[in-house]
Amino acid sequence: MKKILVLHTGGTISMQADSYGNVNPSADNPMNHVGFELDDIDLTVVDFFNIPSPHVTPYHMLALYHKIRDTAGQYDGVVITHGTDTLEETAYFLDTMAVPQIPIVLTGAMRSSNELGSDGVYNYLSALRVASYDKAADKGVLVVMNDEIHAAKYVTKTHTTNVATFNTPTHGPLGIIMKHEILFFKTAEPRVRFDLDQISGTVPIIKAYAGMGVGDGIISLLDPDKIDGVVIEALGAGNLPPEAASEVERLMQQSVPVLLVSRCFNGIAEPVYAYDGGGVKLAETGVMFVKELNSQKARLKLLIALSAGLSGQDLKDYIEG
Ligand code: ASP
């Protein structure tokens, strides 16, 4: 018998549509009334939060981490139900914390509990199956949706409404859920883990575009005294218009760490081009290139690193590692 802790946090999986088709939170979580029998799973269910995931902040993520940390040794696995909008961020955050080495699985739904073709109960059951599967224990935090198992580090929401929204660009999923079996075909990467008691900081994300910095001085609008860092979604392999690159340099001269990812959906940013604003020049001026994370996860990586007290070369090594 596997002991699984379920932490419900809200999101569409716990919501209901009204007669106009508008989707609303529900005080009584429908996942607490699902009709499946689980002979070999002993569930402990906690309604931890009941919020839409656009309301989730790093403080909520930290509270989830503390709950999992503080119950270490009591459970064989954890399932977290979560709104899909920011699910990947909570998954990545937990994956970067010193969580116990048991399966930790996040799931959600694209259609609320009383909509036609609702996917909530199915995803919940799939998540419970994965959380009670021994081979899921050393794969890092997992996201289970629509019969696929994804690594928290790489997964992202790719569609506004489709139930096949969660994808892992560049790498592909870690495994799949079959009718009778769970199949992993990849292993998880080793990672640095932190045991944070607090998290704070202000790190905006800015997307690059053709003509950025030409007349708009967009980066100069940031007050270096009010931010702790910036993440830039750069062009292509990791380049900026020259005017924007000059503004970035000025920001870094005022001790603001600048992280760079690509705005491309696939691939990894790296210093390739040596023209003005190109990645080679940006790296030379101190911009940190983040591998394999999208901007929302790179932002969390910086918040976590700063909250853990990293600075200087240690910060650079962690961010670029
Ligand atoms: N807006 C919803 C949320 O993230 C979407 C969902 O749960 O699928 O809470």
Side-chain angles (χ1 to χ4, degrees):
M1 179 74 78
K2 296 281 187 182
K3 295 180 75 172
I4 305 294
L5 172 65
V6 175
L7 301 172
H8 292 306
T9 70
T12 297
I13 193 166
S14 58
M15 295 185 190
Q16 289 181 331
D18 63 20
S19 52
Y20 301 102
N22 297 331
V23 179
N24 290 296
S26 127
D28 188 15
N29 189 339
M31 287 304 110
N32 290 332
H33 305 288
V34 289
F36 51 69
E37 293 291 318
L38 297 164
D39 295 339
D40 46 0
I41 301 181
D42 174 16
L43 287 185
T44 302
V45 179
V46 180
D47 288 306
F48 200 63
F49 305 122
N50 187 12
I51 53 176
S53 76
H55 297 194
V56 168
T57 68
Y59 306 110
H60 296 99
M61 300 175 195
L62 192 68
L64 280 167
Y65 165 56
H66 288 163
K67 177 72 180 174
I68 295 167
R69 181 188 66 182
D70 296 346
T71 54
Q74 296 174 35
Y75 298 102
D76 302 303
V78 178
V79 168
I80 299 169
T81 66
H82 197 290
T84 59
D85 289 351
T86 64
L87 186 149
E88 67 195 80
E89 285 160 84
T90 298
Y92 174 72
F93 182 94
L94 294 173
D95 200 41
T96 313
M97 294 295 114
V99 287
Q101 242 210 5
I102 54 174
I104 297 172
V105 181
L106 282 90
T107 194
M110 295 302 289
R111 297 178 186 143
S112 65
S113 56
N114 58 343
E115 285 179 66
L116 270 184
S118 170
D119 52 335
V121 174
Y122 188 85
N123 287 334
Y124 184 35
L125 179 56
S126 298
L128 289 170
R129 283 178 62 199
V130 174
S132 42
Y133 185 48
D134 289 334
K135 287 188 181 164
D138 62 351
K139 302 281 189 295
V141 172
L142 301 171
V143 172
V144 165
M145 294 277 292
N146 200 39
D147 282 339
E148 290 186 342
I149 308 166
H150 295 267
K153 182 172 175 184
Y154 307 120
V155 70
T156 193
K157 183 175 179 176
T158 65
H159 196 286
T160 50
T161 52
N162 196 310
V163 293
T165 184
F166 280 91
N167 269 287
T168 296
T170 307
H171 302 76
L174 284 182
I176 55 169
I177 299 155
M178 297 152 65
K179 290 281 173 224
H180 305 294
E181 280 180 59
I182 293 166
L183 187 64
F184 282 104
F185 35 80
K186 285 188 188 141
T187 53
E189 299 276 300
R191 72 217 62 210
V192 180
R193 292 190 182 278
F194 296 91
D195 181 21
L196 290 186
D197 284 317
Q198 60 80 33
I199 185 148
S200 60
T202 303
V203 177
I205 297 171
I206 302 184
K207 186 169 188 155
Y209 46 86
M212 184 187 204
V214 182
D216 62 16
I218 190 81
I219 296 168
S220 307
L221 296 176
L222 295 171
D223 181 346
D225 293 332
K226 292 200 174 135
I227 56 174
D228 301 287
V230 185
V231 176
I232 298 185
E233 272 190 35
L235 309 173
N239 310 303
L240 289 175
E243 296 79 4
S246 306
E247 292 181 66
V248 162
E249 203 173 337
R250 280 200 296 278
L251 205 55
M252 286 187 302
Q253 281 160 2
Q254 297 174 81
S255 302
V256 177
V258 177
L259 274 55
L260 182 147
V261 300
S262 175
R263 69 176 196 178
C264 293
F265 180 67
N266 274 299
I268 297 160
E270 56 185 339
V272 175
Y273 293 94
Y275 52 72
D276 272 356
V280 172
K281 291 269 167 59
L282 294 173
E284 278 168 9
T285 57
V287 171
M288 292 180 260
F289 281 61
V290 185
K291 291 187 197 75
E292 305 179 287
L293 296 182
N294 59 25
S295 57
Q296 54 270 35
K297 292 180 191 173
R299 173 183 175 270
L300 281 173
K301 187 171 190 177
L302 182 57
L303 282 176
I304 290 165
L306 295 173
S307 300
L310 297 187
S311 61
Q313 192 61 40
D314 290 343
L315 179 70
K316 184 174 167 62
D317 290 346
Y318 173 62
I319 294 296
E320 296 195 325

